[in-house]
Amino acid sequence: MTHVLVTGANGFVGRALCRALLAAGHAVTGVVRRPGQLESGISEWVDASVDFAGIDAYWSAGLEVDCVVHLAARVHVMHEEAADPDAAFQATNVAGALRVADAARRHGVRRFVFVSSVKALAEGDAGRPLREDDLPAPQDAYGRSKLAAERALSSYGDESGLDVVIVRPPLVYGPEVRANFLRLMDGIWKRVPLPFGMIDAHRSLLYVDNLADALIHCATDPRAARQCFHVADSETLSVEGLARALARHLQKSGRVLPVPPAWLRLAGRLTGHGAEVERLVGTLRLDTARIRTVLGWQPPFSADEGLAETARWYRSTH
């Protein structure tokens, strides 16, 4: 049995990971900002300090942990209010992560799994699936902060001996998903016409329970030491294919219109949403050969199974 400490344990991915760890027989401590956020069987650690400023001082003397999975982060926001977004992302995603890593090492933790993002690398794949060693070119403050955190943590691991493992997921979906994926399901549910019929660009996605399974491998498998892994579902989907699959599982007749991508790009430029449209019409595929080869990992669920479970949750709330 491994004792895993999970930051951001009450988040979308954190909840799925904690459930999976418990089901696999591991001990779990979850770090949260407010009490009463975790399911039965998980030891709760409340840390309300800003960007984990107090985590070292308040680490219990009796808390022995084998691995930390660091999920807590400042994520991409639709309506940014920070005067300096880069500074805000760096404070949480870089400085905060380093504080957790340093506290972990000081208290005998051997491995630190940092959940980064494909946005640390790129927003598109330029014709072939992205590999872990491709030249990074993040396009926004969130992606830049994740890349900076990867580099800072790797350097810290080299200097201190802490085993740092980096995981880069693409867009993660599943029950309780929020943001753009939820808005897409809302549109399908309400039979809003969606202009995706001519978008053939394929994108890697990741079902949350597949990510949880991969993170357990990264936390417990000795072969994961000091590696960086891309993780995704086995299948890639076009935006049109995703919309039609969700419509089928939502038991709705989706209305997908054949709008040329060039028209969508023009509309994006005219409305100031060019970057968002480009992400919609562009390809973003991940090469997951490394985690499959090094760890022998395969996603336990197909994309269709993940979409079906996500749609089942959505139908239960409507």
Side-chain angles (χ1 to χ4, degrees), residues 253-271:
S253 56
R255 303 174 65 189
V256 182
L257 304 181
V259 178
W263 292 11
L264 294 175
R265 287 189 170 97
L266 176 61
R269 289 195 296 271
L270 293 176
T271 59

Side-chain angles (χ1 to χ4, degrees), residues 4 180 199 214 249 251 283 287:
V4 181
N180 289 335
I199 301 178
H249 289 304
Q251 301 172 5
T283 59
D287 185 334

Side-chain angles (χ1 to χ4, degrees), residues 120-259:
L121 194 61
E123 295 284 355
D125 64 27
R128 65 161 176 79
L130 294 168
R131 296 191 293 261
E132 290 86 349
D133 57 357
D134 283 335
L135 185 66
Q139 299 298 306
D140 61 14
Y142 171 71
R144 289 189 290 272
S145 72
K146 284 294 191 178
L147 178 61
E150 288 183 11
R151 290 173 168 171
L153 288 166
S154 295
S155 295
Y156 178 81
D158 291 341
E159 295 166 1
S160 68
L162 181 66
D163 176 8
V164 175
V165 180
I166 295 167
V167 177
R168 290 184 187 140
L171 186 150
V172 180
Y173 66 94
E176 302 181 29
V177 70
R178 294 291 182 263
N180 289 335
F181 204 96
L182 179 60
R183 282 189 280 273
L184 174 59
M185 288 195 290
D186 286 339
I188 294 169
W189 187 259
K190 297 173 183 176
R191 301 195 72 248
V192 174
L194 301 173
F196 303 150
M198 296 182 69
I199 301 178
D200 190 43
H202 280 62
R203 300 181 74 85
S204 290
L205 302 173
L206 182 56
Y207 179 44
V208 67
D209 285 354
N210 285 338
L211 174 55
D213 187 76
L215 291 175
I216 292 175
H217 280 73
C218 290
T220 61
D221 193 324
R223 297 173 296 180
R226 303 184 184 280
Q227 292 279 352
C228 175
F229 295 117
H230 285 175
V231 183
D233 291 343
S234 294
E235 311 92 330
T236 61
L237 293 171
S238 67
V239 178
E240 178 193 10
L242 172 62
R244 294 192 184 281
L246 282 171
R248 173 166 49 88
H249 289 304
L250 288 170
Q251 301 172 5
K252 294 287 184 178
S253 56
R255 303 174 65 189
V256 182
L257 304 181
V259 178

